[in-house]
């Protein structure tokens, strides 16, 4: 199943496919509310910024500059520290051109900074000064929230990231709220992260894992009263056929979200991000 997230007209040169559909585009007519915010093409205004997007995942760290050919990924080292990340980045991104940096961080982000060191990662994330080392402006956001921003089409959307664990975020009328749905448990005490994450896929097999998702997703939709659910992460491709209210994405949503952080009006207020 292939989902086209944007009309071709949105894929303008340099936009990296992150401009929203026009409200009157026939593909989206009657399907969802139109967002209050608008992404302009910057006609006669400031040029689009070149954004280095760093998506730190449980299995891989992905680097890219949307709109260019600059794109790489490396396995996530155990006990990865921010200083080691920059060492790896320096050897990979030689010659890359970018103006600003977006970092998707696999943990809570408060006031634009990581608030703790993630499990299985090294120390120092909560106190590291990325702007000092990049010598460029840096925005840090929860990794699931960054993917959610990349797939947002307006209204009330729940994002679920199917990867090593379970990422989640809610966007309600342009307000992005990172969630930790992976901490919820079923009647047997099993965490949703272990049911729908990489471990659950390996333990239950593809058929059992899909069955679990199809059982859980409608309940989450009902609980949050969402217009639609966006699915991202590396395992989204394994879901098979999906109902119309679920929109399949993938890891590319992180790149779109990281670019949107700088090329639209987005500001953070403690735990949340506000568009417009």
């Amino acid at each position: 199943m292939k989902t086209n997230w944007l009309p071709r007209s949105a894929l303008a040169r340099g936009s990296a496919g992150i401009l929203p559909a026009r409200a009157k585009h026939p593909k989206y007519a009657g399907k969802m509310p139109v967002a209050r915010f608008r992404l302009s093409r910057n006609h006669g205004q400031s040029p689009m910024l070149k954004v280095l997007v760093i998506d730190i995942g449980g299995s891989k760290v992905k680097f890219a500059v949307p709109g260019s050919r600059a794109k790489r990924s490396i396995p996530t080292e155990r006990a990865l520290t921010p200083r080691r990340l920059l060492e790896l980045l320096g050897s990979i991104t030689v010659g890359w051109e970018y103006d600003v940096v977006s970092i998707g961080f696999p943990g809570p982000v408060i006031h634009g900074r990581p608030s703790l060191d993630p499990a299985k990662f090294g120390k120092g994330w909560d106190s590291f000064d990325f702007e000092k080392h990049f010598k460029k402006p840096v925005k840090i956001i929860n990794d699931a929230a960054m993917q959610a921003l990349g797939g947002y089409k307006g209204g009330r959307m729940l994002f679920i990231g199917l990867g090593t664990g379970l990422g989640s975020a809610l966007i309600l009328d342009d307000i992005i709220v990172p969630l930790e749905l992976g901490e919820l448990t079923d009647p047997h005490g099993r965490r949703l992260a272990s049911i729908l994450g990489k471990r659950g896929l390996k333990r239950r097999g593809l058929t059992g894992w899909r069955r679990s998702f199809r059982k859980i997703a409608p309940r989450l939709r009902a609980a949050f009263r969402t217009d639609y659910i966006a699915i991202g992460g590396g395992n989204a491709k394994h879901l098979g056929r999906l109902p119309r209210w679920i929109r399949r994405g993938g890891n590319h949503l992180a790149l779109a979200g990281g670019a949107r952080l700088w090329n639209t009006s987005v500001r953070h207020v403690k735990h949340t991000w506000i568009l417009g």
Side-chain angles (χ1 to χ4, degrees):
M1 175 179 175
K2 182 178 179 181
T3 300
N4 293 320
W5 287 79
L6 296 172
R8 292 181 180 178
S9 60
L11 300 178
R13 182 180 179 182
S15 70
I18 62 172
L19 297 175
R22 294 184 180 276
K24 295 183 180 180
H25 194 283
K27 180 175 179 179
Y28 298 98
K31 290 188 177 180
M32 67 180 73
V34 177
R36 289 202 308 261
F37 73 97
R38 297 289 183 269
L39 301 181
S40 72
R41 297 177 187 268
N42 292 324
H43 294 304
Q45 300 178 21
S46 58
M48 299 284 281
L49 293 170
K50 294 181 179 179
V51 185
L52 171 62
V53 181
I54 305 173
D55 180 23
I56 306 172
S59 301
K60 294 181 179 180
V61 181
K62 294 167 280 293
F63 313 93
V65 178
S68 75
R69 295 182 178 181
K71 184 177 182 180
R72 290 284 302 277
S73 67
I74 58 173
T76 301
E77 294 182 356
R78 189 172 182 83
L80 180 69
T81 65
R83 197 170 298 277
R84 174 57 177 162
L85 175 66
L86 289 184
E87 291 176 0
L88 296 169
L89 181 69
S91 62
I92 291 173
T93 61
V94 174
W96 289 18
E97 296 182 359
Y98 55 93
D99 306 307
V100 294
V101 182
S102 293
I103 300 176
F105 177 73
V109 176
I110 300 177
H111 294 303
R113 298 182 65 90
S115 63
L116 51 77
D117 297 321
K120 299 183 181 180
F121 278 58
K123 303 294 183 182
W125 293 92
D126 57 344
S127 58
F128 195 81
D129 189 342
F130 283 95
E131 287 197 343
K132 177 180 178 180
H133 289 267
F134 276 107
K135 295 181 173 57
K136 296 178 184 290
V138 176
K139 289 184 179 180
I140 305 175
I141 185 174
N142 172 264
D143 58 342
M146 186 165 75
Q147 287 199 52
L149 178 59
Y152 185 54
K153 294 291 180 293
R156 191 177 185 121
M157 183 195 83
L158 177 65
F159 170 81
I160 299 175
L162 301 174
T164 303
L166 181 72
S168 54
L170 177 70
I171 305 186
L172 172 59
D173 295 331
D174 305 349
I175 298 177
I176 310 170
V177 182
L179 303 173
E180 292 293 341
L181 296 183
E183 297 300 321
L184 297 177
T185 58
D186 69 3
H188 303 287
R190 296 173 299 186
R191 296 168 59 246
L192 287 190
S194 65
I195 296 172
L196 297 180
K198 184 178 180 180
R199 184 182 301 176
L201 176 58
K202 183 177 181 180
R203 183 180 64 249
R204 301 202 62 198
L206 183 59
T207 300
W209 180 77
R210 284 177 173 176
R211 188 181 301 117
S212 294
F213 176 83
R214 290 168 183 161
K215 183 178 181 180
I216 293 169
R219 296 181 180 180
L220 293 177
R221 183 194 185 200
F224 287 98
R225 300 295 183 188
T226 59
D227 300 313
Y228 57 104
I229 292 177
I231 304 297
N235 289 331
K237 60 182 178 289
H238 298 311
L239 284 174
R241 290 181 61 86
L242 295 170
R244 294 184 64 182
W245 49 269
I246 295 181
R247 297 178 177 271
R248 189 201 316 266
N251 287 327
H252 65 279
L253 295 183
L255 306 184
R260 271 188 169 181
L261 275 180
W262 288 100
N263 289 310
T264 65
S265 176
V266 183
R267 59 190 174 90
H268 65 80
V269 180
K270 197 172 183 180
H271 300 278
T272 62
W273 291 75
I274 300 175
L275 299 166

